[in-house]
Amino acid sequence: MSHDHQHTHDHDHDCDGHSHSGHAHHHSITSNLKVAFFLNLSFTIIEFIGGWFTNSMAIISDAIHDLGDTFAIGSALFLENYSQKGRSNKFSFGYKRFSPLSALINSVILLAGSVIIIIQAVPRLLNPEAVNAQGMLYLAIAGIVFNGAAVFRLKSSGDSVNQRAVMLHLLEDVLGWVAVLVGSIVMIFADLPIIDPILSLCIAVYILWNAFKNLRQVMNIFLQATPENVDIEKVKSALESIDDVQETHDTHLWTMDGNYNILSVHLVIKENMRLSELADLRSEVNHVLKSFRIDHVTIQFEVPGEVCELEKH
């Protein structure tokens, strides 16, 4: 009775039978992500060409931002399909870690892109070059239309985590284009070419800030830090407040992708508990942990006075 090792799963994500509505919902998400991906990719190409023709660093900056978003949508699309795969012998927790992996690659692309923008824009601040403000105006209007269409397409269905993240990316793009639009209107009526490098530096700093923020979150996931949305001390207190639990130790809490959280814990319980009582206790533990957004729980029961081998290391 000293080591009753139990694995409990609050939510079974690998049930065999998916409903037809689930398939329809998944198809709707991937179809919307496809439309958003091709809209963004097409416009990113137009932006790079337009930025070169208008001699605008602000347009090139936004093109790099959009390139990052295109990658984000592409990886979200890939992962939306990939996440349907069940667990395997190689990936016993499933494929959820592929999501932060794509976020890591995306952050690195955006960091590199924003550094390139800053290197190019600083000399322009010292020696502003003439830009085609009229061309910038047309591109800004097209940018608002393209990104706006993608946002509405994604908003029309579902609340997939991937989909929400991509929609926020695109919404930020719309705001960036509004800034370019205002800047181009000012430059049409006033000879102020310095507005272009100022805009591009603002966009670059914004990209850098977001990329560093994302990178910090992603690194915390890979380094198996405690999830930001769960307080481990509160989890321990809640478990120790259960009648039959005397103490908790060797508590580990981590996340697969920022949403799917995992807990491993040793519970010291009173001696001579029957198997039926342990089953009831496990159900109570699961019930308590549901409010903490913990999806996968592994419990090891121990009796008072028992020496835990793991505590020696």
Side-chain angles (χ1 to χ4, degrees):
M1 194 67 245
S2 63
H3 279 75
D4 191 337
H5 199 163
Q6 296 289 343
H7 294 268
T8 60
H9 307 274
D10 285 341
H11 306 290
D12 187 357
H13 292 282
D14 298 306
C15 299
D16 291 333
H18 291 296
S19 68
H20 289 295
S21 64
H23 276 303
H25 176 68
H26 170 68
H27 178 72
S28 166
I29 291 170
T30 50
S31 139
N32 286 342
L33 283 171
K34 269 181 195 169
V35 171
F37 174 77
F38 286 112
L39 274 174
N40 229 56
L41 179 62
S42 311
F43 194 65
T44 300
I45 295 164
I46 293 168
E47 277 179 283
F48 276 113
I49 297 165
W52 185 70
F53 274 113
T54 57
N55 194 32
S56 168
M57 278 306 300
I59 301 286
I60 298 286
S61 304
D62 238 67
I64 289 172
H65 190 187
D66 270 1
L67 181 65
D69 286 348
T70 302
F71 181 85
I73 298 168
S75 55
L77 183 58
F78 172 74
L79 287 161
E80 202 66 55
N81 286 314
Y82 214 60
S83 64
Q84 300 297 302
K85 292 179 71 170
R87 297 168 188 160
S88 66
N89 288 336
K90 190 172 183 181
F91 296 103
S92 61
F93 273 111
Y95 293 81
K96 291 179 172 59
R97 270 284 157 90
F98 282 80
S99 178
L101 178 63
S102 81
L104 176 67
I105 297 165
N106 191 29
S107 297
V108 170
I109 289 171
L110 288 174
L111 282 172
S114 54
V115 168
I116 291 166
I117 294 166
I118 291 165
I119 291 167
Q120 295 292 319
V122 169
R124 290 270 194 113
L125 270 178
L126 306 172
N127 297 297
E129 293 180 20
V131 294
N132 182 343
Q134 195 96 36
M136 283 178 70
L137 175 72
Y138 296 142
L139 278 167
I141 292 167
I144 292 166
V145 170
F146 265 76
N147 286 294
V151 168
F152 280 114
R153 180 74 202 225
L154 287 177
K155 205 174 179 183
S156 66
S157 81
D159 60 347
S160 149
V161 174
N162 259 334
Q163 197 167 320
R164 276 204 307 273
V166 168
M167 201 173 76
L168 283 171
H169 266 299
L170 294 170
L171 241 134
E172 288 167 5
D173 283 353
V174 172
L175 295 174
W177 279 115
V178 169
V180 173
L181 179 70
V182 172
S184 63
I185 290 169
V186 171
M187 284 187 286
I188 285 171
F189 294 104
D191 184 25
L192 290 169
I194 198 168
I195 287 175
D196 182 65
I198 289 171
L199 275 173
S200 68
L201 281 172
C202 290
I203 294 166
V205 168
Y206 180 72
I207 296 170
L208 262 179
W209 180 71
N210 272 311
F212 270 120
K213 197 171 69 173
N214 291 342
L215 203 56
R216 187 178 65 83
Q217 290 173 340
V218 169
M219 291 313 296
N220 279 340
I221 290 170
F222 280 117
L223 295 171
Q224 292 191 304
T226 305
E228 291 178 7
N229 58 357
V230 185
D231 186 333
I232 193 167
E233 289 304 321
K234 285 184 179 174
V235 170
K236 287 180 188 175
S237 298
L239 290 173
E240 287 173 358
S241 69
I242 297 170
D243 285 344
D244 292 322
V245 176
Q246 295 183 1
E247 184 199 332
T248 64
H249 62 258
D250 203 49
T251 308
H252 301 287
L253 179 60
W254 69 101
T255 183
M256 287 299 293
D257 58 2
N259 292 304
Y260 188 89
N261 300 327
I262 300 168
L263 176 75
S264 164
V265 63
H266 288 203
L267 299 181
V268 178
I269 55 171
K270 65 183 184 186
E271 287 193 69
N272 304 321
M273 285 187 75
R274 294 192 300 274
L275 280 173
S276 58
E277 290 174 315
L278 285 178
D280 291 342
L281 175 57
R282 204 165 58 249
S283 296
E284 193 174 348
V285 167
N286 286 335
H287 179 72
V288 165
L289 292 175
K290 269 183 185 174
S291 62
F292 289 98
R293 292 181 62 192
I294 292 168
D295 304 275
H296 182 109
V297 186
T298 302
I299 307 166
Q300 182 162 311
F301 293 122
E302 292 175 1
V303 292
E306 183 179 336
V307 178
C308 178
E309 292 298 318
L310 291 174
E311 285 198 317
K312 295 178 182 176
H313 302 291

